[in-house]
Amino acid sequence: MVGTTSVILSAPTKLAEDKAELLKREPGKVLEELDKRIRNDLTQLGDFSRVHPLPGTPQDVPDDTDARLVVLGLDHSYSREPNNPGEVAARSILESKGNSPRIYRNTLTFLAPDSTRKEELEEATRRYLAWAQILGEKESLDLTQNMVRQAETQMDAADKAITARIPETYHWLLVPSQNSPDSPLELQSIRLTGQGSLAARASR
């Protein structure tokens, strides 16, 4: 951390970098901020009858007949590697609804974050939270008006980066398919493009 108040006042950017680095030890704060933003985006359902945001367990996803989108959490990211966390989570939800097998497996489609892009999203969120903390402490830090304006500009830039990176991160659609009732269930991965909310892009 920066050693003295005088140094802090001369370098708010350095203080923000230090705070962002410290937030790596508190991933819960970053996930809480992203959870709020992702859930807010998912109030727009696209063509799905329902969306299940960030389920903690398979029981959080009901076994119903309507077409629905399941949006996996950042800890369940997708990659081309076998048995990646996103695919494992999707298969777990498809196999059961808790204590019993899932019947209507063909009603679910999954949206998973990219394993590489999620790191960039988390980095932008740490920067946003760091500048927000500085603005919250502006009186105790005795920031000048120029420094406050700098902090507001930097926080706004980080906020816009988060908004842009959420769809860039959540671009893997995992669609269950089965050639015949006796064949094994497969997950087809489709990379999403285009504009709009997460669910709207997935439904298109």
Side-chain angles (χ1 to χ4, degrees):
M1 291 293 294
V2 180
T4 66
T5 301
S6 61
V7 174
I8 289 175
L9 295 179
S10 66
T13 299
K14 172 60 175 161
L15 177 59
E17 291 172 353
D18 290 341
K19 286 181 175 293
E21 185 66 25
L22 285 174
L23 282 166
K24 290 182 179 180
R25 305 176 192 174
E26 300 180 87
K29 290 184 178 180
V30 174
L31 291 177
E32 181 181 358
E33 178 67 25
L34 287 172
D35 182 292
K36 177 180 65 177
R37 289 170 180 257
I38 292 168
R39 288 178 186 275
N40 182 64
D41 183 282
L42 293 173
T43 58
Q44 302 178 60
L45 304 182
D47 293 330
F48 294 99
S49 62
R50 278 182 290 167
V51 173
H52 303 294
L54 317 176
T57 69
Q59 289 176 301
D60 294 334
V61 181
D63 191 18
D64 294 328
T65 58
D66 52 332
R68 289 160 291 137
L69 178 68
V70 180
V71 181
L72 301 176
L74 284 167
D75 52 341
H76 295 136
S77 60
Y78 178 81
S79 70
R80 296 293 190 183
E81 296 296 322
N83 297 318
N84 59 82
E87 187 173 323
V88 169
R91 288 187 179 278
S92 175
I93 293 171
L94 286 171
E95 288 171 2
S96 76
K97 55 181 179 180
N99 296 324
S100 59
R102 187 174 296 275
I103 298 173
Y104 303 111
R105 294 185 294 174
N106 62 340
T107 63
L108 299 179
T109 300
F110 299 85
L111 184 60
D114 181 82
S115 60
T116 301
R117 301 306 295 268
K118 77 165 192 170
E119 296 176 6
E120 299 171 357
L121 176 59
E122 291 170 347
E123 179 185 353
T125 307
R126 286 193 293 269
R127 287 201 304 270
Y128 169 81
L129 292 174
W131 284 110
Q133 287 178 15
I134 289 173
L135 284 171
E137 300 166 1
K138 62 183 179 182
E139 293 182 359
S140 61
L141 292 173
D142 196 24
L143 298 185
T144 65
Q145 284 300 311
N146 283 338
M147 290 177 178
V148 170
R149 283 194 292 270
Q150 177 191 2
E152 290 172 342
T153 299
Q154 293 294 335
M155 187 179 74
D156 182 62
D159 178 65
K160 291 177 179 176
I162 296 171
T163 300
R165 287 179 180 174
I166 286 176
E168 291 174 355
T169 301
Y170 274 89
H171 66 229
W172 289 113
L173 197 65
L174 306 180
V175 183
S177 63
Q178 204 169 14
N179 293 327
S180 70
D182 298 327
S183 62
L185 185 73
E186 297 181 357
L187 281 173
Q188 178 186 5
S189 61
I190 302 171
R191 185 164 184 160
L192 298 182
T193 58
Q195 303 296 318
S197 68
L198 296 179
R201 290 164 67 237
S203 61
R204 280 199 300 271

